[in-house]
Amino acid sequence: EDQVTQSPEALRLQEGESSSLNCSYTVSGLRGLFWYRQDPGKGPEFLFTLYSAGEEKEKERLKATLTKKESFLHITAPKPEDSATYLCAVQESGGSYIPTFGRGTSLIVHP
Amino acid sequence: DVKVTQSSRYLVKRTGEKVFLECVQDMDHENMFWYRQDPGLGLRLIYFSYDVKMKEKGDIPEGYSVSREKKERFSLILESASTNQTSMYLCASSLGANNEQFFGPGTRLTVL
């Protein structure tokens, strides 16, 4: 069973159609949760780190939130340039500091 | 800005060849990582290093080795390349244990 599950696997939106991506995790304690954006053929690019339930971070049209068992990446009024794969990674407290990555959500925003 | 560079963007090798993938970071980061990324499987950790000359196995180390002789450079070695090692290889670095990772642009390796 995967420790980090992202849903949906793929999402198609119209420009301006807001939505949310989900990252759920099953680690017993959370040290940190990271969101990355990956464009085709490139390496992932860091977006946010969240550490505790209730925390929120924002950047342009993106807002990341965290609860005890999941994180959401909210995309408000997306534009075609927001099209990318969004990856979530979780660090477990008390264990190795190496983050476990989810398989990602592929987002396509149509003009 | 942190910069992580990888020696090649695309590489084509033959089965049985020894392959070297080089990664260099310019921000004095302690930790460096090698991942491979395959469709449907996500990012899988091959090896990581938390200090010069130190290395630890990740989830899929078989068929690979690494070298970290200098802090800024982390090399991935495929001792005898096989077709199932065809993949996108990503290098990353991080300042400390709790910090975000910075990724290189990736090397797309094809083994024929």
Side-chain angles (χ1 to χ4, degrees):
Chain A
E1 181 182 336
D2 287 349
Q3 284 188 311
V4 183
T5 303
Q6 292 189 245
S7 62
E9 286 186 19
L11 181 62
R12 291 177 180 269
L13 299 173
Q14 288 297 127
E15 185 171 1
E17 180 187 2
S18 301
S19 188
S20 297
L21 313 183
N22 178 264
C23 172
S24 63
Y25 54 92
T26 58
V27 299
S28 54
L30 182 71
R31 175 182 283 180
L33 185 144
F34 304 88
W35 281 100
Y36 294 85
R37 170 194 168 122
Q38 185 175 22
D39 293 304
K42 297 186 177 180
E45 179 184 337
F46 170 71
L47 291 172
F48 305 110
T49 309
L50 301 167
Y51 294 105
S52 55
E55 190 175 359
E56 298 183 354
K57 294 268 179 80
E58 280 190 71
K59 180 180 180 180
E60 296 180 355
R61 295 176 292 283
L62 301 177
K63 183 167 81 171
T65 62
L66 182 65
T67 70
K68 286 192 174 180
K69 286 298 176 187
E70 58 190 350
S71 176
F72 291 93
L73 185 65
H74 306 279
I75 304 177
T76 302
K79 298 182 177 182
E81 53 262 42
D82 294 322
S83 298
T85 295
Y86 291 86
L87 299 171
C88 164
V90 168
Q91 268 185 334
E92 186 171 11
S93 61
S96 164
Y97 66 89
I98 305 302
T100 300
F101 280 84
R103 299 186 185 194
T105 293
S106 173
L107 172 67
I108 297 176
V109 182
H110 296 284
Chain B
D1 282 350
V2 174
K3 194 168 184 183
V4 180
T5 57
Q6 295 184 228
S7 50
S8 306
R9 293 285 281 125
Y10 300 94
L11 210 52
V12 179
K13 296 292 182 181
R14 297 237 174 245
T15 302
E17 280 192 79
K18 191 169 186 176
V19 182
F20 294 87
L21 302 182
E22 301 260 309
C23 175
V24 177
Q25 51 94 3
D26 66 358
M27 284 299 290
D28 204 33
H29 282 179
E30 299 292 332
N31 307 300
M32 297 188 75
F33 310 81
W34 275 107
Y35 293 90
R36 63 178 283 177
Q37 186 174 36
D38 301 286
L41 297 178
L43 278 166
R44 293 183 291 168
L45 182 65
I46 305 171
Y47 268 96
F48 65 99
S49 168
Y50 53 89
D51 201 354
V52 177
K53 297 193 186 292
M54 305 302 287
K55 59 186 179 184
E56 295 284 344
K57 292 180 180 179
D59 300 319
I60 52 164
E62 297 79 19
Y64 303 94
S65 62
V66 290
S67 172
R68 194 169 181 199
E69 296 296 318
K70 293 185 178 182
K71 192 174 186 180
E72 68 271 17
R73 189 179 297 269
F74 193 34
S75 302
L76 180 69
I77 302 147
L78 286 66
E79 296 290 342
S80 177
S82 63
T83 55
N84 63 12
Q85 292 178 310
T86 291
S87 186
M88 169 71 106
Y89 289 87
L90 289 161
C91 174
S93 71
S94 70
L95 179 61
N98 294 329
N99 296 101
E100 68 274 18
Q101 292 172 305
F102 292 85
F103 286 83
T107 295
R108 186 164 294 282
L109 172 67
T110 302
V111 183
L112 302 175

